[in-house]
Each structure stands twice: as structure tokens, then as C-alpha cells.
Amino acid sequence: MNFHVLTLFPDMIKDGLGTSITGRAIDSGKITLNAVNIRDYTLEKHGHVDDYPYGGGAGMVMQAEPIYRAYQSVIEGIKNKKRPRVLYMTPQGKVFNQQMARELAGEEDLIFLCGHYEGVDERILEMIVTDNVSIGDYVLTGGELPAMVMIDSISRLVDGVLNNKDSAEYESFSDNLLEYPQYTRPEEFMGRKVPEVLLSGHHANIEKWRKEQSLKRTMERRPDLLNNIL
Ligand code: ADE
């Protein structure tokens, strides 16, 4: 799986995803991360990538040309004949969830476009973007954190990225339920005991208890999720 990120802050992307599980997945070649600096593709002699909005108003708008040239450089580097999906990070997009992560994990290449300032010239969005995606109903300063959030959640669904296959199978949202509570040693911590059934070694009872806990948790914390399975 190859992630390409068009951004003005490539170090943020590389630093953020270069550690822990995603870092290991990059080192082992399970995923690749190509952070492309849009500024490297400007033709403007001072290196500008933005300008004032036509019609006036606050802030600056990212220009179409450097983004288009950065995008072309990525497309030229992709051997695959199929045009990859281009995901524009925007609070105006469809809200990202686990189902979208699963769907996107099936792609060979994905291009993320991260905006900054007040926005991006609409014409380049019309030309290259296939999906507008938001990570929630709040506004961030740029698309880098949303791209990192998405790449993290998609990566862990790519074969071989998690060493224990089970952990992607029995986790929150995998069947529209939240995950059951987990415990480890010691058996008692500051007077709080691990539920007896987990010490019993009785696998059927443990599974039944976990299922009940998942349902209870989902009812208490995210009852909206239950509408999807009832
Ligand atoms: N850019 C700014 N805010 C965002 C959000 N909530 N989701 C995706 N991209 C964004």
C-alpha cells in the first residue's frame, strides 16, 4: 500500500507516522510513505504557493499550479495504470469511519491533499479530487493531522502491519460494537479485582462475557452504533 501526501509540511507527516507501528510498517516495506512538498513545485520565484482570494476576504488561498505539478509528479511515479483516488482533507467532506478505512485499505495507491490557510483554489479540487473527507465536525488548521489519522487507521488494516491478526478482527467497530474491557496482571490492583470469569480458563464463558460487555458498553457509550445492526 502506497500513501502519497501532498503537503506544505512534509516533515510533520514523516515525523508523525515514522514511529511506532506505522514506522515499523514503513521500515519493513508493508507500506510506503511519500510526503511531497508542494512548495518544491511552485514556479514563483519567491517560492510562494498562495495568494489573496479573488473577491476579497480574510486569509490566503493555496494556488492551483504548484498543487497540480506536485500531483503530476506523483502520478508519473506510479506504475499502476489505474488513476489513484485523491482524498482532499476538508471539514466539508464525508466523515471518516472504520468502514471507509476498510474500503480504502483495498487500494494500491492513495493520494492525500492537505490544504492550509483559508483554502485551496476550487479549480484544482474540481480537477483532481475524487473524495472529500473530514475526520469530524470541528475545524483544524490544516489537512496534515487528518491525513495522518487516516493513514494510521488504514495502515493497521493492511496485511502484515499488525503482528497479531486477531487484534484487527476483534476490536471496536469491527461488528459495529465497542471492544470489551481488558485486564492484565496483577489480579488485584488497589482493591479492584479482575472479573472472575477471565481467570476461569472457560473459553465459552469468557467469550459470552466479552460479547455481553461489548453490547453493554455500546449501549451506554455509543447507542447510535446499534442502529446499524438492529
Ligand atoms: N481540515 C480542517 N479541518 C478538517 C477536518 N475536521 N477534517 C479534515 N480536514 C480538515
Side-chain angles (χ1 to χ4, degrees):
M1 172 103 210
N2 307 304
F3 298 104
H4 310 268
V5 186
L6 309 179
T7 170
L8 289 172
F9 302 97
D11 290 344
M12 186 173 171
I13 300 288
K14 284 185 277 190
D15 292 347
L17 294 169
T19 47
S20 186
I21 293 175
T22 46
R24 253 183 284 135
I26 294 167
D27 291 343
S28 67
K30 298 279 186 318
I31 62 171
T32 70
L33 181 63
N34 173 26
V36 179
N37 191 344
I38 294 168
R39 202 176 295 281
D40 291 344
Y41 292 88
T42 178
L43 296 172
E44 209 273 340
K45 60 178 181 290
H46 302 294
H48 290 158
V49 290
D50 59 341
D51 211 328
Y52 296 99
Y54 277 120
M60 303 291 270
V61 177
M62 284 172 68
Q63 291 170 295
E65 173 133 54
I67 296 174
Y68 186 69
R69 297 182 70 238
Y71 165 76
Q72 280 300 338
S73 83
V74 168
I75 293 292
E76 280 159 21
I78 294 175
K79 291 159 210 91
N80 199 341
K81 284 276 175 296
K82 190 174 154 246
R83 280 265 151 144
R85 283 165 81 167
V86 179
L87 314 170
Y88 176 50
M89 304 295 98
T90 168
Q92 300 180 11
K94 182 170 172 195
V95 179
F96 185 59
N97 62 18
Q98 191 67 21
Q99 192 195 321
M100 282 164 79
R102 263 181 239 125
E103 183 198 324
L104 292 169
E107 299 284 329
E108 186 78 13
D109 289 272
L110 286 174
I111 303 179
F112 291 79
L113 173 58
C114 304
H116 248 269
Y117 311 112
E118 290 310 303
V120 172
D121 191 305
E122 190 67 22
R123 292 166 294 183
I124 190 67
L125 301 178
E126 289 165 6
M127 286 166 71
I128 68 171
V129 171
T130 58
D131 303 79
N132 291 288
V133 189
S134 164
I135 61 159
D137 291 340
Y138 43 82
V139 181
L140 298 163
T141 56
E144 283 74 15
L145 284 170
M148 286 158 67
V149 164
M150 288 183 62
I151 292 170
D152 185 293
S153 66
I154 295 165
S155 294
R156 59 192 292 293
L157 301 176
V158 171
D159 263 357
V161 168
L162 298 183
N163 36 28
N164 179 0
K165 199 169 173 291
D166 286 348
S167 32
E169 262 168 38
Y170 300 105
E171 64 186 6
S172 291
F173 305 112
S174 58
D175 46 11
N176 268 309
L177 294 176
L178 301 183
E179 199 185 12
Y180 48 79
Q182 299 272 22
Y183 300 86
T184 187
R185 291 203 290 177
E187 273 185 40
E188 185 172 333
F189 176 70
M190 295 176 93
R192 291 163 186 268
K193 294 198 168 108
V194 171
E196 202 66 47
V197 60
L198 299 180
L199 309 175
S200 68
H202 192 301
H203 295 299
N205 284 355
I206 292 173
E207 206 172 304
K208 182 167 169 279
W209 180 86
R210 285 179 165 167
K211 190 84 194 173
E212 284 163 6
Q213 291 294 315
S214 276
L215 259 171
K216 180 165 171 277
R217 235 176 215 203
T218 311
M219 266 173 340
E220 282 165 8
R221 300 184 184 184
R222 291 293 307 275
D224 56 298
L225 291 176
L226 295 171
N227 296 334
N228 300 333
I229 50 174
L230 297 180

